[in-house]
Amino acid sequence: MQPLNLKDKIEKILPSETKKVIYECAKIAHLKDYRIFLVGGVVRDLLLDRNVFDIDITVQGDAIEFCKLLQTETECSIIQIQEDLKTAKVRFENNVTIDFASTRQEEYPQKGHLPVVTKTGCVLSRDVKRRDFTINAIAAALNSDSYGRIIDYAGGIEDLKNKTLRVLHEKSFIDDPSRIIRGLKFSVRLGFELDKKTKQLQDNYLNAPNRDLSRMRIKSELQQTFELNSPAAFDRCVAQKIYKIFTEDANKNIKGQEIFDISAKYKTEIKHLWLVYLGVLFTCKEDAEFFNFEKNEKRLLIDALDMIAENPRTDDLFKVYKFFENKCIESILIFYLVTKNENAMLFLEKLRKFRVETTGEDLINMDFLPGAQFSEIFDLVLKERLEGRVSNKREEIDFIKTLKNS
Ligand code: ATP
Ligand code: MG
C-alpha cells in the first residue's frame, strides 16, 4: 500500500543535507506564497524506496523569481538561469544543488522534434500533462502547510502499485518517440510492463515510424538504457522492434546474454559499453550516420561495420593480427558477436600480446637505412614471432641478420 504522504519517505531516504535545504525552501515558499513541489523521478523513486540522486523542484509560477527570493532570504546562490524555460539551478551553502523549474505547458507542432513551451507558470495539473508516463507525473507538495502531500492527477499511484507504464495521452509516442526508449529503460530498471493500450500505441508508432525527428533525446535515452548492461533491455528492444525508431532493419539473431557475457570478460577495457549493445543491431553505415555520434564513437561503429563486411576467414596468424590491430575493443566485440568469427577471440586472447622487441634504433645500429623498409622488417619479425620461430629479442636480431644477408 502506497502512503498518501511522502513525508516519511523523504525523512527515511534523502540525505540530511538535502532535507535541510528542502525544509528551507518549503519555509520560504510558505512565507512568500509560492507553491512548490517535487515531481517526476524523485517522487517515483521515493515511493518505490529507491535512492534518489538529484532533486528537481517545480515551482507553480516563476521559478527564477522564487530562486531570487531564496538568494536574498538564505545562504545560497543562483549558478545558472535559462530564461526561455524559466529554470534555475541553485547551490546552497552546504553544497547541495537543486534544479528549479517553472510549471509549464508544451506542444509538439513538429512531431518528433523538441517541444515548444507555450506557457510557463501554469497550474500544476497542466504541467503534469506534458510528462511521459503516469508514474513520472506524481507530485508531492513541499510547502510547510501541506508538506509531503501526494498529488496524483494521472493515476500514477495505482500504476506504481501494478508495476505499469502508461502514457498520458494517445499521441504521446508520436510527439516524442524517445518515450518508447524511456519506457524500455524503466521497464527494465524497475521491472514494470507497458499497459495494454500503451503497448498498442507503441506498436502503432513502430509500424509507421517517423524518421524526421530530433535524434539527441533518442541517443541519450539509448545510452542510458544500454549502459544498464541489461540483457533483458536488449532482448526487449529486438522483440518489441524498438530499433525501428532508428533503423529499418536490425540484426535480430544476437541474444542480450551473449553481449553481457563477452563484455564482462573485457569490462576493464570497454569505455562505451552502450555502443556494443547498439552496434550489434546496425546493419549498414547509414545506421552509424543516423545519430550525431562523437568522432570516436562513429569511428568505432564504422570500423565494426567494415570488419563485418570483410569478415575474412583465414588461418594465417599474421593476417589475423593485422586485421584486428589498432581496432578498439568495442569494434572487435561487435564484429565477433555478429560474425562469430573465432579469429577475434584468437586475437584478443593470444595474438595481441605478441610484441616485436627490436627497435628502429637497433635496425640503424645494424646499418639499415631508416624508411619504409623498417615497417616491412618489423612485419617479417612479427610473423616469425606469431608463428613461434623466434621468441626473444636475440632471436629477432639473428633473424634480421639473415634478411640482411639474403
Ligand atoms: P531518471 O531516474 O532516469 O533520472 P527521471 O524520471 O527522473 O528518471 P529525467 O530524465 O530526469 O527522468 O526527467 C525528469 C522528469 O521529466 C521525468 O520524471 C518526466 O516526468 C519528465 N520527462 C523527462 N523526459 C521526458 C519526455 N521525453 N517526455 C515527457 N516527460 C519527460
Ligand atoms: Mg531524473
Side-chain angles (χ1 to χ4, degrees):
M1 193 50 195
Q2 301 288 346
L4 286 175
N5 196 300
L6 205 63
K7 201 170 155 191
D8 292 346
K9 300 273 191 184
I10 293 176
E11 209 42 54
K12 200 174 94 192
I13 298 172
L14 292 186
S16 56
E17 293 296 307
T18 310
K19 280 186 288 200
K20 221 166 104 186
V21 166
I22 290 181
Y23 298 150
E24 193 87 9
C25 295
K27 205 173 76 192
I28 291 173
H30 187 59
L31 279 175
K32 303 287 178 185
D33 217 15
Y34 275 85
R35 308 303 300 172
I36 65 169
F37 309 88
L38 295 176
V39 193
V42 189
V43 180
R44 176 200 69 218
D45 287 341
L46 284 174
L47 288 169
L48 291 171
D49 284 318
R50 293 172 66 94
N51 276 331
V52 173
F53 296 100
D54 30 51
I55 307 283
D56 299 299
I57 291 183
T58 299
V59 179
Q60 187 170 281
D62 186 332
I64 298 177
E65 274 176 19
F66 178 71
C67 292
K68 286 183 180 159
L69 275 175
L70 281 178
Q71 207 170 225
T72 48
E73 303 284 327
T74 66
E75 289 294 318
C76 71
S77 44
I78 299 177
I79 53 173
Q80 209 178 299
I81 281 185
Q82 205 179 333
E83 274 295 344
D84 53 344
L85 289 183
K86 295 240 178 283
T87 60
K89 192 191 264 300
V90 175
R91 178 174 295 125
F92 292 83
E93 62 170 343
N94 59 6
N95 267 331
V96 170
T97 58
I98 295 197
D99 287 311
F100 290 84
S102 306
T103 44
R104 64 176 189 259
Q105 277 170 246
E106 292 176 341
E107 274 174 19
Y108 288 81
Q110 228 187 325
K111 303 294 175 200
H113 287 264
L114 292 180
V116 170
V117 176
T118 50
K119 187 174 179 188
T120 56
C122 56
V123 287
L124 181 73
S125 57
R126 292 307 304 259
D127 175 280
V128 296
K129 285 201 163 78
R130 71 181 168 87
R131 295 179 185 266
D132 51 357
F133 297 102
T134 61
I135 61 161
N136 290 340
I138 311 169
L142 288 181
N143 290 61
S144 31
D145 59 347
S146 52
Y147 186 73
R149 186 164 59 84
I150 297 275
I151 304 155
D152 179 19
Y153 291 114
I157 296 281
E158 192 59 24
D159 286 336
L160 266 188
K161 274 192 221 162
N162 297 325
K163 295 179 173 287
T164 298
L165 292 162
R166 185 192 312 274
V167 286
L168 276 85
H169 59 90
E170 296 234 337
K171 297 267 176 348
S172 188
F173 294 141
I174 297 169
D175 282 347
D176 178 0
S178 75
R179 291 171 183 161
I180 293 180
I181 303 170
R182 286 177 65 81
L184 173 66
K185 175 177 79 178
F186 292 125
S187 67
V188 168
R189 198 205 281 167
L190 307 174
F192 281 31
E193 292 294 337
L194 298 184
D195 104 286
K196 209 166 142 212
K197 180 79 205 266
T198 299
K199 174 71 168 55
Q200 187 60 55
L201 293 171
Q202 176 178 297
D203 289 344
N204 293 349
Y205 178 82
L206 295 172
N207 278 332
N210 164 21
R211 291 272 152 62
D212 169 25
L213 39 71
S214 159
R215 297 160 190 201
M216 198 177 64
R217 280 182 166 189
I218 293 175
K219 182 184 170 203
S220 154
E221 291 300 338
L222 278 173
Q223 178 164 8
Q224 292 176 48
T225 306
F226 287 142
E227 282 296 347
L228 294 173
N229 194 15
S230 155
F234 181 84
D235 292 341
R236 224 171 238 248
C237 179
V238 173
Q240 298 189 359
K241 299 195 171 72
I242 292 174
Y243 58 78
K244 292 261 182 197
I245 294 175
F246 53 88
T247 180
E248 283 286 325
D249 198 16
N251 274 326
K252 297 181 252 329
N253 50 356
I254 298 159
K255 293 272 160 289
Q257 193 61 43
E258 293 175 66
I259 307 172
F260 180 89
D261 290 342
I262 200 81
S263 304
K265 210 165 160 190
Y266 300 100
K267 70 168 185 282
T268 55
E269 294 176 61
I270 297 176
K271 292 199 201 81
H272 309 278
L273 178 63
W274 72 284
L275 288 178
V276 179
Y277 280 96
L278 184 62
V280 299
L281 291 170
F282 287 178
T283 54
C284 60
K285 286 195 185 161
E286 287 79 66
D287 292 339
E289 305 286 346
F290 185 81
F291 294 107
N292 207 357
F293 286 114
E294 312 263 316
K295 208 167 156 219
N296 59 335
E297 296 174 336
K298 194 163 159 186
R299 179 78 268 141
L300 169 174
L301 293 164
I302 297 282
D303 276 352
L305 287 162
D306 283 343
M307 289 159 82
I308 292 165
E310 197 176 335
N311 190 18
R313 303 273 172 185
T314 174
D315 295 334
D316 183 327
L317 298 182
F318 178 72
K319 283 191 183 146
V320 174
Y321 188 100
K322 285 285 159 187
F323 184 71
F324 294 107
E325 188 188 23
N326 301 327
K327 299 292 187 300
C328 63
I329 185 80
E330 290 88 344
S331 308
I332 299 176
L333 294 181
I334 294 170
F335 168 83
Y336 176 67
L337 285 157
V338 174
T339 62
K340 304 291 183 307
N341 186 332
E342 283 299 331
N343 279 338
M345 286 300 113
L346 176 66
F347 176 77
L348 290 177
E349 290 298 296
K350 208 167 150 203
L351 302 188
R352 66 174 169 161
K353 297 188 185 103
F354 283 86
R355 288 276 174 277
V356 171
E357 289 178 62
T358 307
T359 63
E361 213 178 326
D362 294 324
L363 294 186
I364 291 169
N365 290 338
M366 292 168 80
D367 293 333
F368 283 96
L369 289 178
Q373 198 194 9
F374 271 30
S375 59
E376 275 171 39
I377 297 173
F378 288 135
D379 276 353
L380 288 170
V381 178
L382 176 65
K383 201 165 170 15
E384 293 303 295
R385 276 243 165 186
L386 291 169
E387 291 169 5
R389 287 187 290 276
V390 304
S391 57
N392 57 43
K393 186 163 176 178
R394 194 179 45 74
E395 288 174 11
E396 284 184 10
I397 301 279
D398 288 346
F399 168 73
I400 296 168
K401 280 182 189 155
T402 67
L403 294 177
K404 206 153 197 237
N405 299 333
S406 61

